[in-house]
Amino acid sequence: MKHQITVTVNGTQYTSEVEPRLLLVHYLRDVLNLTGTHVGCDTSQCGACTVLINGEAVKSCTVLAVQADGAEITTIEGLAKDGQLHPLQEGFWEMHGLQCGFCTPGMIMTAYDLLQKNPNPSEEEIRHGLEGNLCRCTGYQNIVRAVQYASDKMRGQPVAAGND
Amino acid sequence: MKISGSYTMQAARQAVWDKLIDPDAIAGCLPGVEELTKVGDNEFTMAMTVGIGPVRGTYAGKVTLANLNPPESYEMQVEGSGRPGFVKGSGQIHLAQGVGGGTAITYEGDVEVGGPVGSVAQRMLGGVARRMIEQFFGCIEKQITGG
Amino acid sequence: MAVTKLFGASIKRREDPRMITGRANYTDDVRLPGTLSLAILRSPYAHARIKRINVEKARQLPGVVAVYTGKDLADTLAPVPCAWLPPNSDLKVPEYRALAIDTVRYVGDGVAAVVAEDRYRAADALAAIEVDYEILPAVVDQEKAVAEGAPQLYADVPNNTAFVWRLSGGDVEAALAQADVVVSQRLVNHRLIPTAMETRAALAYYNPGSGELTLWCTSQNPHIHRLLLSAVTGLPETRIRVISTDVGGGFGSKLPFYAGEMIASAIAKDLGRPIKWVEDRRENFVATTHGRDHIDYVDVAAKRDGTITGIRVRSYANMGAYLSTAAPGVPTWLFGLMLSGPYTIPNVAVEVYGVLTNTTPTDAYRGAGRPEATYILERMMDLVADRLGMDPVEIRRKNFIPKDKFPYTVATTLQYDSGDYELTLNRALEIVGYDAFRKEQAEARKQGRLLGIGLSSYVEVCGLAPSQAAGAMGFQGGLWESATVRVHPSGKVSVFTGANPHGQGEETTFAQLVADELGVPIDDVEVVHGDTGRIPFGMGTYGSRSTAVGGSALVYAARKVRDKGAKIAAHLLEVSPDDIVFDQGRYYVKGAPDRVKTFQEVAGAAYLAWSMPEGVTPGLEETHFFDPINNTYPFGTHVCVVEVDPHTGQVTFRRYVAVDDVGHVINPMIVDGQVHGGIAQGLAQAVYEAAVYDENGQLLTGSLMDYAIPTASMVPTYEVDRTETPTPVNPMGLKGAGETGTIASTPAVVNAIIDALKPYGITHLDMPLTPQRIWQAIQQAQKGS
Ligand code: FES
Ligand code: FES
């Protein structure tokens, strides 16, 4: 039996009929074709699927599409505004915060939530805040620097120089 | 994975023995057993729902009792498979006359899970098995003592 | 060498914009209308005979389109070939089927395949397949597998021994007999699971009209996969196109050729619909290759002054249940040849048993063979130093190949290209403040605090080449690379490379190279990779060879373009080509810089071809196949500083210093990133990660809950530095940087922890050095004393 849901994703409202067991991440990827949100595990460990639901970072593989009925969702595709990269996206680019890029959308969404709650985190707080997201490529150092870059920029501070 | 342990019941050895090989008592006391049917001498089929770690599912399987040496010892084999994978276990159960008329039960055995459940739930297996055994003996004890 | 502005510059990566905005195109992101979902039923038993498979119930479920068993596919798909066949090793390659036909040999072996309308229905159908297994005894440990009476995986592979490979140089037995000291140690280099964040995936589409099969898949080497796919399906290569443009990490695990990709292809052809298979994570843990898993018996001969005179190694390498694509090469050539490392050890002998067990097949994992060799050497160096009461720094210094001895031929006959090993050691010691640390350590010990420092000096072989050597080693392919540089009439450039970066950033660094060579803006250069439909041929990305070999091919191709351009420019300027100077994208007449044609003008002229010089064909496009004369040998020293809590065994990282020498560097930012990631993986082996099987062959660490890949707070800050010793074997003087971190870090971390435990008299512990293992060792030691 299918259920009707209405969600707003990246500012656009969608109404769909979904099976009750459909995960939100599969709804985003397979129904809405928003493939920037990735799936990296089946035990809610990796964070590759992280999106914002009503402004909070949530692993979208842990939520059923029907539970998101009425919610406001932001995915990585919705982060840049008017062709302007979000400071986090900029930070990841400037600081070489990604290699294969698979973990990146989830990392950025989690970092978004982190900076929202703590605009000026210490290195330790950043590392702690990203614990639910796994990256196999970068060894995390440049991800930390990317978040620091965004934090500086969002607070109107001069940003650290990029890599040279 | 190897498990072993002991349980002391305030009940006479023969009474404990009778309950431990009684299908109704097993069905009533083994957590998650939905049905248990006797299909042969000391052989039963069963359906059982168990949660191991994050994986909960129903297993269809077989319980066999062997090498019965009343009221001292027997062997038990449990085998089940279902959507989440398979569970297999075998063990030896010893009943010893305890102090003050009680019975000291010791068990040791091997449990294996495999398939999908195996890949995510191995770590929890020991704990789950031990808890189920505790519950099982606790329930049997209650049935005997009527407590 | 053209060292202009771009070579050596930390240019931001051009692959990033699509990835940070969610617009990359990984295999599972590719959409084709009418796609069906494929799921594979995998054996829950490590060793069993399939008595009966009943797929009827599954077939009747709503949304299920087809179900296949091993028998159904036996005629469509030939067995998976092994592509590395070490000669003179009594090699036996067991039959490796996409789906098992009557016997399963590891937990995860494919049994049946289901195709359904979506992934949920495919999963339902898997659960409805009934399989009757007759369980057979299993063997997991490689030492047990070769022992008498062990369960046998194959009737035709006695003692489960797939091969025995030996190599020696000098006379080790004599060295051991004459040594002042012989230090012997059994070292376990345990099994790891590569765990790229993107699991494997495949999308296959067969067009019955054209007879063409297109396979999108997660491949490090699409051309090799096309070749193997052609071999198993019988379709000619001309009718197969393999595309793997965005790949979410590989680390070796996406090199082998696997069942999922083959089955998707076969079924796509059978059903005429696009078929998508996406491995889930728990499936990835059992069905994608694992790495390492060596047990090594090591004897080192030394003189009293610390000179190492010989090393003898007997290795049991666990191959898993089948021989995966490149698996036999990992514990043999990539390992055995490197057993003298950066040291002048004149006598080396190695004997390797490639053992089949009821476990997931192993294959290359970042470093593949070289981390195993380096771990042995760097652990043994510390053990010998400890025995002789020497400082670990001094013993290394004493045995280093001196910098004026290059090119240097080691006992195993490799010729190292260039090196200055002491330089990296000195730099690392200086950064970490070695002498001051030793003082601090001594003070701390008085207070019962456990500080430790660990060194790891390594040399590795990468930029794997030349093809002739590949042939001698039994590698069923060449080790060259190809590149095509196509200049369009506007002067914009497309570069086609046979390397297939999946995180290493060559879309950027290769553009840097070509922009430099042709003097065009970097934005005018696009780098195309990962598509057999667009690229002539290629060996793929692995073994830190993309830049050293693929990048060189590119430089040569660009130079051919430049030279042809010079002829055209000379013709247009009416001078002899010898009188043309090329500089920064301009061809001008020697002595008359105002008589000039820009590169773009020349490109235009080449395509108009209204007036071409004698014997010069129209167009401006060149291909080059580069087969280097030798490998490259990056080296370096890593130093790790730890503190161990004596009450809990908990390890805290205080410093991690890496000084690598990878020759010249195109993009320092990218090389640093490679080093960071490599360190994290190697360090994780030392203290966190381990694949564990129970004796029945069940993988106990089959999920990300149990297999501990590090999170951000589990790794230290890396202090990365470099020295630059160029190699003569390629035009850029660069060596390769993809694996140095993984190779060096594992022993650096282990040595640091063992150094910290020195007050307890502990000289060795097997990895991973978890708090529990350390705590137990401390308890044991305290009881003993
Ligand atoms: S997919 Fe891994 S946490 Fe959601
Ligand atoms: S960049 Fe590859 S997993 Fe993070």
Side-chain angles (χ1 to χ4, degrees), chain B residues 83 86 112-114 119 123, chain C residues 44-45 124 282 696 698 702 706:
Chain B
R83 188 176 178 130
F86 74 83
E112 188 188 352
V113 294
S119 59
R123 205 164 37 120
Chain C
Y45 298 106
D124 290 345
R282 65 169 191 242
N696 300 314
Q698 294 295 337
D706 301 287

Side-chain angles (χ1 to χ4, degrees), chain A residues 28-138:
Chain A
L28 293 170
R29 290 181 54 82
D30 297 341
V31 180
L32 302 186
N33 279 319
L34 291 166
T35 56
T37 303
H38 299 151
V39 179
C41 73
D42 39 23
T43 50
S44 52
Q45 237 79 32
C46 75
C49 61
T50 309
V51 300
L52 302 178
I53 302 183
N54 300 326
E56 296 243 2
V58 174
K59 292 179 176 175
S60 63
C61 72
T62 63
V63 178
L64 297 168
V66 289
Q67 292 173 295
D69 189 19
E72 185 99 32
I73 295 169
T74 308
T75 69
I76 188 71
E77 289 95 338
L79 208 54
K81 292 273 175 321
D82 310 319
Q84 194 65 40
L85 290 179
H86 185 274
L88 272 163
Q89 292 171 310
E90 228 179 84
F92 272 74
W93 194 10
E94 289 288 338
M95 294 298 163
H96 189 28
L98 60 147
Q99 290 179 24
C100 79
F102 198 79
C103 70
T104 312
M107 282 287 175
I108 290 179
M109 300 320 276
T110 302
Y112 182 99
D113 194 0
L114 172 70
L115 291 183
Q116 199 167 257
K117 293 179 176 139
N118 181 359
N120 187 17
S122 66
E123 170 166 349
E124 216 184 303
E125 285 168 335
I126 296 173
R127 287 184 184 268
H128 184 69
L130 297 177
E131 262 176 352
N133 291 67
L134 297 174
C135 173
R136 193 56 156 164
C137 298
T138 63

Side-chain angles (χ1 to χ4, degrees), chain C residues 177-202:
Chain C
Q178 289 153 22
D180 294 336
V181 287
V182 173
V183 179
S184 302
Q185 182 68 46
R186 176 182 187 264
L187 296 170
V188 180
N189 202 309
H190 61 281
R191 182 180 281 244
L192 300 174
I193 304 180
T195 328
M197 289 322 298
E198 178 202 30
T199 57
R200 283 190 299 122

Side-chain angles (χ1 to χ4, degrees), chain C residues 32-315:
Chain C
L32 294 181
T35 297
L36 298 173
S37 257
L38 166 68
I40 298 174
L41 182 71
R42 300 190 175 278
S43 167
Y45 298 106
H47 198 189
R49 215 177 320 280
I50 301 170
K51 289 199 293 196
R52 194 181 60 94
I53 304 185
N54 182 356
V55 300
E56 279 323 306
K57 273 193 204 146
R59 220 168 243 152
Q60 275 149 29
L61 289 177
V64 172
V65 178
V67 185
Y68 299 81
T69 64
K71 285 207 180 78
D72 299 333
L73 293 178
D75 296 332
T76 342
L77 290 171
V80 191
C82 178
W84 201 326
L85 311 173
N88 310 321
S89 64
D90 196 14
L91 178 72
K92 298 173 191 75
V93 181
E95 185 178 89
Y96 186 5
R97 289 281 180 176
L99 292 178
I101 294 178
D102 40 46
T103 306
V104 288
R105 292 189 177 84
Y106 70 96
V107 170
D109 215 349
V111 174
V114 161
V115 179
E117 293 297 338
D118 63 51
R119 60 177 98 224
Y120 290 79
R121 277 165 187 79
D124 290 345
L126 285 192
I129 298 176
E130 293 163 358
V131 189
D132 261 356
Y133 294 99
E134 177 194 338
I135 300 167
L136 302 172
V139 63
V140 168
D141 176 285
Q142 60 265 51
E143 286 188 291
K144 289 192 184 136
V146 297
E148 218 171 297
Q152 301 289 303
L153 269 75
Y154 301 92
D156 50 357
V157 187
N159 302 318
N160 300 312
T161 305
F163 58 85
V164 184
W165 180 86
R166 295 185 183 89
L167 179 86
S168 63
D171 186 346
V172 154
E173 302 309 322
L176 288 164
Q178 289 153 22
D180 294 336
V181 287
V182 173
V183 179
S184 302
Q185 182 68 46
R186 176 182 187 264
L187 296 170
V188 180
N189 202 309
H190 61 281
R191 182 180 281 244
L192 300 174
I193 304 180
T195 328
M197 289 322 298
E198 178 202 30
T199 57
R200 283 190 299 122
L203 170 62
Y205 171 60
Y206 181 77
N207 181 331
S210 67
E212 194 185 26
L213 174 77
T214 308
L215 175 69
W216 287 262
C217 64
T218 49
S219 172
Q220 293 178 228
N221 46 347
H223 284 89
I224 304 302
H225 284 174
R226 182 183 64 174
L227 188 63
L228 292 168
L229 189 58
S230 163
V232 297
T233 58
L235 283 171
E237 286 152 279
T238 50
R239 297 290 82 197
I240 303 176
R241 179 175 177 191
V242 176
I243 305 173
S244 333
T245 339
D246 284 332
V247 178
F251 316 110
S253 71
K254 291 173 182 169
L255 277 174
F257 187 59
Y258 292 99
E261 292 78 342
M262 294 163 59
I263 297 170
S265 302
I267 296 178
K269 183 157 179 272
D270 195 29
L271 299 179
R273 303 240 332 237
I275 302 291
K276 184 182 271 186
W277 170 71
V278 181
E279 193 183 48
D280 57 33
R281 177 58 65 186
R282 65 169 191 242
E283 193 178 10
N284 175 269
F285 270 102
V286 295
T288 292
T289 50
H290 296 175
R292 315 270 194 271
D293 207 347
H294 274 205
I295 297 172
D296 302 307
Y297 290 85
V298 188
D299 305 294
V300 170
K303 291 193 201 154
R304 218 171 309 282
D305 69 355
T307 308
I308 309 289
T309 54
I311 179 165
R312 180 175 64 191
V313 177
R314 192 172 76 251
S315 280

Side-chain angles (χ1 to χ4, degrees), chain C residues 23 120 329 339 390 423 609 754:
Chain C
R23 262 67 176 206
Y120 290 79
L339 277 169
M390 273 178 95
L423 185 64
I754 300 294

Side-chain angles (χ1 to χ4, degrees), chain C residues 394-727:
Chain C
E394 286 326 304
I395 192 160
R396 286 174 172 80
R397 245 192 247 290
K398 175 137 213 121
N399 290 285
F400 275 154
I401 300 164
K403 70 168 182 221
D404 55 1
K405 287 283 195 300
F406 290 92
Y408 181 85
T409 303
V410 297
T412 55
T413 72
L414 289 176
Q415 192 189 65
Y416 293 179
D417 52 352
S418 62
D420 186 348
Y421 302 152
E422 221 173 335
L423 185 64
T424 62
L425 175 68
N426 290 341
R427 179 78 64 85
L429 294 178
E430 183 189 315
I431 295 172
V432 82
Y434 187 74
D435 296 333
F437 173 80
R438 284 293 185 199
K439 288 200 191 91
E440 185 191 348
Q441 181 185 43
E443 280 308 310
R445 276 182 184 162
K446 283 183 204 150
Q447 297 152 22
R449 283 175 56 218
L450 304 175
L451 297 188
I453 192 163
L455 299 180
S456 166
S457 291
Y458 70 94
V459 59
E460 65 139 325
V461 51
C462 73
L464 295 182
S467 299
Q468 210 188 347
M473 296 187 300
F475 184 62
Q476 305 298 298
L479 284 172
W480 43 268
E481 197 46 272
S482 83
T484 298
V485 174
R486 176 179 301 159
V487 184
H488 301 276
S490 62
K492 305 267 196 262
V493 185
S494 294
V495 166
F496 302 87
T497 172
N500 193 30
H502 41 280
Q504 297 87 344
E506 274 92 353
E507 285 179 35
T508 306
T509 49
F510 282 7
Q512 287 177 257
L513 291 178
V514 172
D516 272 356
E517 291 296 331
L518 300 181
V520 297
I522 189 168
D523 290 339
D524 285 3
V525 184
E526 69 155 344
V527 176
V528 180
H529 65 87
D531 182 349
T532 65
R534 298 182 72 188
I535 293 138
F537 200 82
M539 303 308 296
T541 286
Y542 51 88
S544 306
R545 63 191 302 279
S546 291
T547 306
V549 189
S552 299
L554 205 55
V555 165
Y556 283 120
R559 286 180 186 173
K560 283 187 189 167
V561 162
R562 208 169 68 193
D563 292 347
K564 181 173 180 182
K567 287 187 195 143
I568 298 168
H571 180 71
L572 298 173
L573 294 164
E574 298 178 327
V575 294
S576 149
D578 297 339
D579 291 331
I580 291 290
V581 179
F582 179 81
D583 182 41
Q584 310 272 330
R586 291 152 48 90
Y587 293 97
Y588 63 87
V589 178
K590 206 182 280 172
D594 53 329
R595 293 185 59 202
V596 61
K597 290 284 171 195
T598 63
F599 182 76
Q600 290 74 13
E601 286 170 325
V602 169
Y607 281 92
L608 287 176
W610 289 340
S611 172
M612 293 294 280
E614 185 72 35
V616 176
T617 52
L620 195 52
E621 166 172 335
E622 297 289 347
T623 295
H624 190 85
F625 286 73
F626 179 63
D627 199 344
I629 50 166
N630 194 359
N631 306 292
T632 61
Y633 295 86
F635 58 90
T637 297
H638 288 206
V639 183
C640 177
V641 179
V642 299
E643 175 154 8
V644 176
D645 184 330
H647 307 295
T648 61
Q650 191 73 40
V651 174
T652 312
F653 292 100
R654 304 221 327 191
R655 300 279 298 276
Y656 194 98
V657 175
V659 180
D660 297 294
D661 193 320
V662 296
H664 290 313
V665 168
I666 303 172
N667 186 322
M669 171 191 87
I670 288 178
V671 169
D672 286 351
Q674 290 297 304
V675 173
H676 292 175
I679 294 171
Q681 281 179 355
L683 169 150
Q685 175 177 21
V687 292
Y688 304 127
E689 290 176 24
V692 181
Y693 280 95
D694 72 9
E695 73 244 30
N696 300 314
Q698 294 295 337
L699 181 65
L700 300 180
T701 51
S703 80
L704 284 169
M705 286 185 291
D706 301 287
Y707 187 80
I709 80 167
T711 65
S713 35
M714 289 159 74
V715 294
T717 300
Y718 324 108
E719 301 168 59
V720 172
D721 199 4
R722 255 189 299 281
T723 60
E724 286 197 23
T725 309
T727 173

